[in-house]
Amino acid sequence: MRILRAGDHKRMPWKNGKGATVEIAVFPPSASIDGFDWRISMATVAEDGPFSIFPGIDRTLAVLEGNGMVLAIDGRAPALLTTQSAPLSFPADIPVTATLDHGAITDLNVMTRRGGLTHSLTRVEIDGATRVPLPSPTCLLLCHRGAASFRRNGETGMLRDGDALLIEDATATALEIDGEAIAYLVAIATD
């Protein structure tokens, strides 16, 4: 288990050059924007426009802040994504255009390389003692808002806004958490 502090996340330009992203975690470590197996990041979207294309990648988005955005995903009906919506999954190698709903948003973006990895993204509301299942050996818990302490296999720690807990080769099936926070759990598994 490793705590990834908000102040240590890597800031970098979008692949299409139209914005910036905050990389929370990537595998392999220090992989380039085109060479990752999986990647978890946040971005502020301040204007309407197309998403970057990532060949062979599957993507899931959740809106963390703002009114939301409408995603026009090639071959699908437009979808409104808000802070209350379930995360939305789609291929990252097809055309997608975002239209903001009254102002900028911040999103959480999870991407995995197709044909080897899959992922899930779940919103977790923590209000007191909470047991969070760990559905795969590689999981990341992002504390989006609030603070929470955690316990697992004798290890403890504290997460605050923007901090993440990366668990690799998980042997326990759950993480014990206590506090008040809105968090997001990413689970990454092999096909």
Side-chain angles (χ1 to χ4, degrees), residues 9-29:
H9 300 331
K10 182 179 176 182
R11 280 135 182 89
M12 56 198 299
W14 285 352
K15 187 177 177 181
N16 68 10
K18 296 189 179 279
T21 190
V22 176
E23 187 175 82
I24 300 167
V26 65
F27 186 83

Side-chain angles (χ1 to χ4, degrees), residues 97-152:
T97 302
T99 304
L100 297 171
D101 185 19
H102 300 94
I105 62 99
T106 300
D107 66 28
L108 178 62
N109 180 40
V110 179
M111 295 190 285
T112 52
R113 190 156 305 282
R114 192 177 306 128
L117 296 172
T118 61
H119 68 267
S120 64
L121 175 60
T122 309
R123 180 183 163 116
V124 180
E125 294 193 21
I126 301 164
D127 186 12
T130 306
R131 189 170 196 265
V132 177
L134 300 175
S136 65
T138 301
C139 292
L140 182 135
L141 183 72
L142 172 69
C143 181
H144 166 55
R145 202 178 302 143
S149 61
F150 64 84
R151 294 179 309 283
R152 180 180 157 262

Side-chain angles (χ1 to χ4, degrees), residues 14 43-49 63-70 80-83 98-107:
W14 285 352
T44 298
V45 180
E47 63 182 59
D48 299 347
V63 172
L64 301 176
E65 301 286 343
N67 290 325
M69 65 180 166
V70 175
L80 174 62
L81 193 58
T82 70
T83 56
T99 304
L100 297 171
D101 185 19
H102 300 94
I105 62 99
T106 300
D107 66 28

